[in-house]
Amino acid sequence: MTSYLIRRVFQAIPTVLGITLISFVMIMLAPGDPLTRFVVNPEASKESTEHLRRLMGLDKPILEQYLYWMVGNDWTTIDVDGDGVGDLQGTRLGLLRGDLGQSFQHNRPVLDLILERVPATLQLSVPPLFIGYGLGILLGTLAAAKQGSFFDQLLRFLSVVGTALPNFWLGLILIIIFSVNLQWLPIGGMRDLAKTDSSFDLLDTIAHMILPTIVLSLAIIASVTRYMRASVLEVIEQDYVRTARSKGLSQRRVFNIHIMRNALLPIATLFGPGLAALLSGTVIIEQVFSWPGMGRLVITAIYQRDFPVVMGTVLVGAILYIIGLLISDILYGILDPRIRY
Amino acid sequence: MSVQTKVTQLNTVEKNQERSFWNRMIKQILRDRLTLMALSILFLFTVASFFGPTIVENALHVDVEDASVRDRYLPPSSEHILGTDQLGRDQFIRLLYGGRISLLIAYSASLLAMTIGVSVGTLAGYFGGAIDDILTWVISTLSSIPSLFLLLIASAIFSPSPEVLVMILGFLSWIQIARLVRGQILSLKRQDFVLAAQALGSSDLRIMVYHILPNVISIALIAVTISAGNLILVESGLSFLGLGVQPPTPTWGNMLSDSRSYFSYGIHLVVWPGTMITLTVLCFFLLGDGLRDALDPRNRK
């Protein structure tokens, strides 16, 4: 298992490199000069603009810029005045040493900005993961156990509707009902802004989390229920289940050991893609509920053309996703002892 | 005697037709009421939003952008059956126009995705070796970025007109189809009819087009129907974030985005665009499920 994990982590390296290259090249293809937003004064001299361009390394070819972005430029000098002789020592450390660059907008390291936001995003996305998988597995199993009943039909219908509902619309409607009309829950944000002390208030936090958590959980519940139902129905028909029954094993034992364990396998593979959907979901839901997480950071950065932040967020999102895929593989290994790495 | 022979020949022809791929699919779908309903609703929406605007312009002489400050936030009435928005524009007409853009984007992007997906999947699966390695690497890299992030970068860079959005969405959603097709072809190319064709000296292109492609069309069709539903969701999500099609061109997503600021004046502004999105996506998903039941040989009892 350990050696398999190490191998998988090494396999992820080219993928991460590919992601950095793709996002870098895409950003560089962007029309418009990133400098225009620095040179606020239209009468700024051409010299000072060029000075700034060379200082930021924007005069270099794309691949060279990519190289500096990856490994930094502290081992070389920057030719600021354009005379062919380097005169300033580089200061960037590069992605490989954890330096994601400076935010254009905030003048702060991108990594700090992102790390500030990660806890909020995790706080919003981890509970739906557990609620969604827990309820989805339960409901899917119940539906399969009572196949063809009214309950089953209802769940099948609801789970298709659940995947078709746009989550931002659902969020909007829940806000209108529960926050605007009934005024039971806060309209958005992460904590009550009226409170000045930054102490942690559990009730307040939960009140702010209820609506976004419901919206994010619903999509997961819907898709897990569908897959679980299909999976249980498939396993029930297998020969080993019939054998176990005919051996006279108790219903519960057959169910727990022979049916559930096998039916959960496909659900484990769903975990990775589910995480991707959840990450995308949080980007939009954070916007709907004004939740100060990575999603809001990236959307604001896009509007401000703050490319280092956009790239940093995409990269962190991709790494979180790859970790999700890894967890998915590990779960698979735990559930299925036939798999030997 | 000769009449007798003719009759048997006719029967064989009929039998063959009965067994043909499309016939079987149509028969199966006609029996499946839910799928039939989804198909009819989609057809209705498509026809209404493609021809509706022309009728509105030429027959009723109403322009979609006709604004009237006095008629703002009107609730649904006989004159404006779905009410009016913050500029006094008729919401029903705007929904028709929005549907045209949203559906057109979904249809064209999924067509593009299917073309790329089937081609890449076929090439990778059929040739194997280095081509397969490279294409699989591209597929796995692209699919390990949550695609919304890629979409966000892309739409931040190219300010998206509907055409650009079609390209972006198409180029980002072929991955799943390619993967499915590749998997299918890996097992197909070992089968006897392909070996026979190779032994007969058919060219690779001929084998791919005539022998392999018909066998992957069904899974591609199922995948593309589901992905059309997803594309409607993604497009409306992007427009909702303000990164999709820009106003004043209406799409269901940016109508919802507008309504966010005005819902206190009229709840109908929130309800209808969302209902249209949900219904359309639901129909695509149900149709996809129906197609899977009709086409997947494993489900045939």
Side-chain angles (χ1 to χ4, degrees), chain A residues 14-15 18-19 22-23 26-31 157 160-161 163-169 172-173 175-176 180 187 226 276 279-281 283-284 287-288 294 298-299 302-303 305 307 310-311 313-314 317-318 321-322 325, chain B residues 137 140-150 152-159 226 230 233 236-238 240-243 253 256 259-260 263-264 267 270-275 277-278 281-282 285-286 289 292-293 301:
Chain A
T15 318
I19 293 165
I22 291 170
S23 52
M26 275 174 84
I27 292 280
M28 284 301 149
L29 286 176
F157 178 72
V160 186
V161 175
T163 39
L165 268 178
N167 53 11
F168 49 93
W169 185 54
L172 212 57
I173 288 193
I175 289 180
I176 293 176
V180 178
I187 213 163
R226 277 181 82 176
L279 280 175
S280 316
V283 171
I284 298 182
Q287 200 71 9
V288 175
M294 270 169 59
V298 72
I299 301 284
I302 286 173
Y303 283 133
R305 307 212 139 239
F307 292 140
V310 177
M311 275 153 71
T313 327
V314 171
Y321 178 42
I322 290 176
L325 289 179
Chain B
W137 179 77
S140 72
T141 305
L142 279 178
S143 62
S144 58
I145 312 180
S147 61
L148 188 80
F149 284 92
L150 271 186
L152 288 178
I153 300 189
S155 51
I157 294 172
F158 315 101
S159 48
I226 307 263
N230 281 325
L233 277 181
S236 60
L238 277 182
F240 180 79
L241 291 173
L243 296 169
L256 255 185
S259 74
R260 208 161 28 151
F263 64 77
S264 50
I267 192 82
V270 179
V271 171
W272 289 109
T275 310
I277 299 173
T278 312
V281 177
L282 187 63
F285 285 173
L286 288 176
D289 275 1
R292 181 178 296 138
D293 289 346
K301 293 260 160 82

Side-chain angles (χ1 to χ4, degrees), chain B residues 243-261:
Chain B
L243 296 169
V245 177
Q246 299 298 317
T249 310
T251 71
W252 293 337
N254 67 27
M255 286 174 73
L256 255 185
S257 178
D258 282 348
S259 74
R260 208 161 28 151
S261 329

Side-chain angles (χ1 to χ4, degrees), chain A residues 250-265:
Chain A
S250 73
Q251 195 67 261
R252 170 172 299 177
R253 198 177 157 80
V254 173
F255 190 77
N256 286 344
I257 301 202
H258 296 87
I259 296 180
M260 273 312 259
R261 198 153 169 181
N262 286 297
L264 281 173
L265 282 178

Side-chain angles (χ1 to χ4, degrees), chain B residues 58-178:
Chain B
N58 297 325
L60 301 175
H61 302 291
V62 185
D63 190 72
V64 65
E65 295 304 330
D66 267 351
S68 150
V69 188
R70 250 199 291 168
D71 298 338
R72 291 190 303 167
Y73 312 117
L74 286 183
S77 63
S78 58
E79 196 184 345
H80 300 286
I81 55 171
L82 293 181
T84 57
D85 69 357
Q86 71 274 11
L87 295 175
R89 296 172 294 192
D90 185 278
Q91 181 165 229
F92 179 69
I93 298 177
R94 272 178 68 80
L95 277 177
L96 283 180
Y97 275 81
R100 182 159 67 170
I101 305 277
S102 296
L103 285 172
L104 202 62
I105 290 177
Y107 286 139
S108 345
S110 31
L111 207 65
L112 182 63
M114 182 158 115
T115 317
I116 303 176
V118 170
S119 323
V120 171
T122 310
L123 288 179
Y126 185 76
F127 287 111
I131 296 179
D132 188 28
D133 287 343
I134 294 170
L135 290 176
T136 311
W137 179 77
V138 172
I139 288 175
S140 72
T141 305
L142 279 178
S143 62
S144 58
I145 312 180
S147 61
L148 188 80
F149 284 92
L150 271 186
L151 271 172
L152 288 178
I153 300 189
S155 51
I157 294 172
F158 315 101
S159 48
S161 63
E163 295 82 15
V164 173
L165 211 55
V166 166
M167 300 299 276
I168 297 176
L169 290 171
F171 276 110
L172 287 180
S173 48
W174 56 269
I175 299 160
Q176 190 57 33
I177 299 173

Side-chain angles (χ1 to χ4, degrees), chain A residues 10 15 62 69 84 129 133 150 164-165 173 177 188 216 233 243:
Chain A
F10 274 103
T15 318
I62 288 187
W69 186 60
L129 208 58
Y133 270 82
F150 174 72
L165 268 178
I173 288 193
I177 296 175
L216 286 172
L233 284 181
T243 312

Side-chain angles (χ1 to χ4, degrees), chain A residues 68 93 200:
Chain A
Y68 287 141
L93 289 177
F200 181 73

